[in-house]
Amino acid sequence: MTHTKQIKSALISVFDKTGLEPIIKALHQNNVTIYSTGGTQDFIKNLNVPVVAVEDITSFPEILGGRVKTLHPKIFGGILNRQDNESDVAQMTEFDIPQIDLVIVDLYPFEKTVASGASEGDIIEKIDIGGISLIRAAAKNFKDTTIVASVDEYATFLGFYTENNGSISIEQRKLLATKAFHTSSNYDTAIFNYFNTEDTYLKISEEKGQVLRYGENPHQKGFFFGDFDKMFTKLHGKELSYNNLLDVDAGVNLMNEFKNNEPTFAILKHNNACGLATRQTMKEAYLDALAGDPTSAFGGVLIANGNIDVATAEEINKLFCEVVIAPSYDQEAIDILEEKKNRIILVINDVDLPAKNVRTCLNGILVQDKDNITDSAAILKTATLTAPTAEEIEDLLFASKICKHTKSNTIVFAKNRQLISSGTGQTSRVDALDQAIKKAKTFEFDLTGAVMASDAFFPFPDCVEIANKAGITAIIQPGGSIKDELSINYCNDNKVAMVMTGVRHFKH
């Protein structure tokens, strides 16, 4: 290691003292002079380690209820001085400024305070001023000063310090400075987003980054930034891939539409549902979801809205699938599913999803509100002389939920709360319809009495005519075409029920 510096003095002022004791003892063992404030100073004293109060350096007490502790030229001069600069060295002597080689800080928990539902007054008091200033100063001067900017870095620093016998290399100081600037920028982003009410500003900072095996394809690097462990408990299986995560995301968003329903099971492939059913038992829901497209189900992502029991697990175990997700499992069901060593088994926790969708576009970023509208009976407007039956309305809303989470252009067929087939991601709605009819026939479904959902309006009556001739008796669509009457007239002439929602659900 080059440019290694021995630590002779340290300023320690932290909120979270977990893991701090071994550092204090290691510094003391190497005769390091320790400066501190408030609660941290008391913590160090209780370890029977000598500590110098910051106010003994500054000749100025903590003021304003502790809001001002370290903001003083003698502190920041000790951190920011350049030890190879003659003028800096002279001023250090002139103003009797002590050298500070190490700064250890852990900021007030602003994000946790916001998440706790605390009052605005309590939240404001958790905006750290002195700590963030110490971090930036020490990180800027990493050539001469070592910065430990959060409790997450305590162990890293202690490892460096121990292996170097009380010294830190320039490479290690720069690494810790990098982590420090991440801490400060993430902290500032959280504060800004708390205050921000303008949709035209976007600041994103994710603390937890995971390197994936690769991206969408093996020649692409892939990363996931987010708190996966907060959302899921992983019980078994290999690491999730980039594509697994996309399918899991699609599955979670789709199943949220059926969160409070009777047992519902979905099978997804390439972000689209290839099977979904609601039944009296989870086993029945799984089997009828699988029947929707047993070919596409191979290698898919499976998700349930309730507990997976032994009977369901035994059926799932007959299928090669990448991921199984549920809010809970019987222990014996877990044992069965774990028989396939690579199968990923996830318990989904009740966590709020982001309110915005974000994606790269050209040389920038597209942001939109999440599509949080779920079509309900209350918004349906019957556009035809023939009204849908109660059973058809139930199936229409069932199909609409699936349609909302399927790539445009899409057509979805459903019957008796079962996904019969769908046409996904087609360049024309007629192509999507033809694909759905072909798939239904392939798996020997009778479309007589089935319903159809479309993610957008019909500009011509061709789709409703084709659907009607295939056996469809009720249709749900947003409406809004200047030629809506053409589709309505066809339905009236052929006793097909059509309802309009006034809500389009494109998904590109």
Side-chain angles (χ1 to χ4, degrees):
M1 296 286 185
T2 58
H3 302 294
T4 299
K5 290 182 67 69
Q6 185 179 8
I7 292 175
K8 298 180 181 179
S9 60
L11 170 62
I12 306 175
S13 181
V14 302
F15 181 86
D16 192 338
K17 300 165 186 66
T18 306
L20 185 62
E21 182 176 343
I23 295 177
I24 300 296
K25 290 182 175 179
L27 295 173
H28 177 53
Q29 188 175 2
N30 285 290
N31 299 312
V32 174
T33 300
I34 301 176
Y35 306 103
S36 191
T37 62
T40 308
Q41 181 181 339
D42 293 338
F43 177 84
I44 296 170
K45 282 182 179 178
N46 289 335
L47 296 175
N48 294 316
V49 173
V51 58
V52 179
V54 164
E55 61 190 59
D56 291 343
I57 302 172
T58 62
S59 299
F60 210 99
E62 294 182 12
I63 61 171
L64 307 182
R67 279 189 165 197
V68 179
K69 301 175 184 176
T70 57
L71 297 170
H72 193 281
K74 281 198 171 184
I75 299 300
F76 282 86
I79 295 169
L80 283 164
N81 74 93
R82 295 158 292 187
Q83 294 175 26
D84 60 356
N85 183 292
E86 291 184 9
S87 176
D88 285 9
V89 172
Q91 287 188 325
M92 292 283 286
T93 302
E94 178 185 357
F95 296 109
D96 192 24
I97 298 174
Q99 178 66 43
I100 298 176
D101 302 315
L102 168 67
V103 175
I104 302 178
V105 176
D106 184 67
L107 299 169
Y108 293 154
F110 178 82
E111 289 180 273
K112 288 182 179 178
T113 304
V114 172
S116 73
S119 67
E120 183 174 277
D122 288 339
I123 290 170
I124 297 302
E125 288 308 310
K126 288 300 184 289
I127 298 176
D128 207 312
I129 303 301
I132 204 77
S133 302
L134 292 170
I135 287 173
R136 290 176 63 84
K140 174 179 178 176
N141 202 35
F142 70 89
K143 288 186 177 181
D144 290 309
T145 309
T146 300
I147 175 63
V148 179
S150 78
V151 66
D152 295 334
E153 307 307 328
Y154 290 179
T156 300
F157 165 75
L158 186 58
F160 291 159
Y161 185 73
T162 303
E163 71 184 23
N164 292 334
N165 297 315
S167 300
I168 302 293
S169 72
I170 183 66
E171 293 87 357
Q172 291 167 343
R173 293 197 299 277
K174 189 170 185 179
L175 173 63
L176 288 168
T178 302
K179 292 176 178 290
F181 282 124
H182 164 69
T183 296
S184 66
S185 64
N186 186 74
Y187 197 74
D188 285 340
T189 297
I191 294 169
F192 169 78
N193 286 333
Y194 172 74
F195 282 95
N196 179 36
T197 57
E198 296 290 333
D199 287 337
T200 53
Y201 297 127
L202 173 67
K203 294 190 188 298
I204 300 173
S205 179
E206 289 289 350
E207 281 198 292
K208 297 189 177 181
Q210 178 184 348
V211 179
L212 304 175
R213 294 196 302 274
Y214 52 80
E216 209 161 5
N217 299 291
H219 61 276
Q220 296 168 267
K221 291 182 180 179
F223 307 89
F224 172 71
F225 293 94
D227 193 348
F228 185 86
D229 292 337
K230 181 179 180 181
M231 188 153 191
F232 298 100
T233 301
K234 184 181 174 188
L235 302 180
H236 180 74
K238 62 184 180 180
E239 293 300 313
L240 280 87
S241 70
Y242 182 98
N243 294 330
N244 287 154
L245 289 167
L246 286 175
D247 281 331
V248 168
D249 175 73
V252 168
N253 281 284
L254 172 60
M255 193 53 71
N256 276 347
E257 303 283 354
F258 301 90
K259 193 171 183 179
N260 299 314
N261 288 39
E262 294 174 83
T264 300
F265 210 105
I267 304 172
L268 292 94
K269 196 74 173 287
H270 301 303
N271 309 156
N272 294 312
C274 58
L276 197 151
T278 298
R279 293 293 181 259
Q280 293 299 311
T281 69
M282 196 60 75
K283 176 183 174 181
E284 292 172 323
Y286 167 72
L287 290 173
D288 284 349
L290 179 64
D293 188 346
T295 301
S296 296
F298 182 86
V301 167
L302 282 57
I303 184 167
N305 72 343
N307 183 67
I308 291 183
D309 55 19
V310 173
T312 309
E314 287 175 339
E315 294 297 334
I316 292 172
N317 208 34
K318 299 173 184 177
L319 175 73
F320 168 71
C321 60
E322 292 274 357
V323 186
V324 181
I325 310 166
S328 62
Y329 302 78
D330 289 349
Q331 181 56 52
E332 191 176 344
I334 295 171
D335 296 339
I336 293 168
L337 294 173
E338 286 181 345
E339 290 176 6
K340 302 289 178 19
K341 69 175 184 178
N342 287 329
R343 179 184 285 147
I344 300 163
I345 305 173
L346 301 176
V347 176
I348 185 168
N349 304 316
D350 192 9
V351 176
D352 290 334
L353 294 173
K356 303 278 187 185
N357 294 133
V358 182
R359 66 195 297 183
T360 59
C361 180
L362 301 176
N363 63 345
I365 295 172
L366 280 174
V367 181
Q368 66 170 352
D369 293 335
K370 197 167 184 178
D371 183 356
N372 284 323
I373 295 178
T374 297
D375 295 338
S376 65
I379 69 170
L380 300 184
K381 294 182 179 179
T382 302
T384 52
L385 297 175
T386 301
T389 64
E391 291 77 11
E392 286 175 331
I393 289 176
E394 187 174 41
D395 279 343
L396 287 168
L397 295 173
F398 176 91
S400 171
K401 292 177 181 179
I402 301 170
C403 194
K404 171 184 169 183
H405 293 275
T406 306
K407 294 288 185 182
S408 302
N409 286 319
T410 184
I411 291 289
V412 170
F413 292 153
K415 188 177 182 180
N416 299 326
R417 297 189 298 174
Q418 179 185 20
L419 171 60
I420 301 300
S421 64
S422 60
T424 64
Q426 299 303 303
T427 51
S428 85
R429 203 156 300 281
V430 172
D431 287 343
L433 178 57
D434 288 342
Q435 183 189 59
I437 292 172
K438 182 180 179 181
K439 286 188 72 173
K441 289 180 178 178
T442 298
F443 298 111
E444 299 181 350
F445 282 104
D446 181 5
L447 288 176
T448 303
V451 306
M452 177 174 79
S454 173
D455 61 334
F457 61 62
F458 301 115
F460 303 102
D462 47 4
C463 283
V464 294
E465 181 178 354
I466 295 168
N468 172 238
K469 289 180 178 178
I472 298 298
T473 56
I475 298 168
I476 185 170
Q477 59 128 327
S481 170
I482 60 173
K483 295 182 179 180
D484 274 345
E485 286 301 317
L486 297 178
S487 296
I488 294 169
N489 290 340
Y490 178 87
C491 289
N492 284 334
D493 291 343
N494 293 273
K495 295 183 173 55
V496 176
M498 179 185 287
V499 296
M500 295 185 179
T501 65
V503 180
R504 190 183 73 184
H505 292 296
F506 271 161
K507 187 171 186 284
H508 286 85

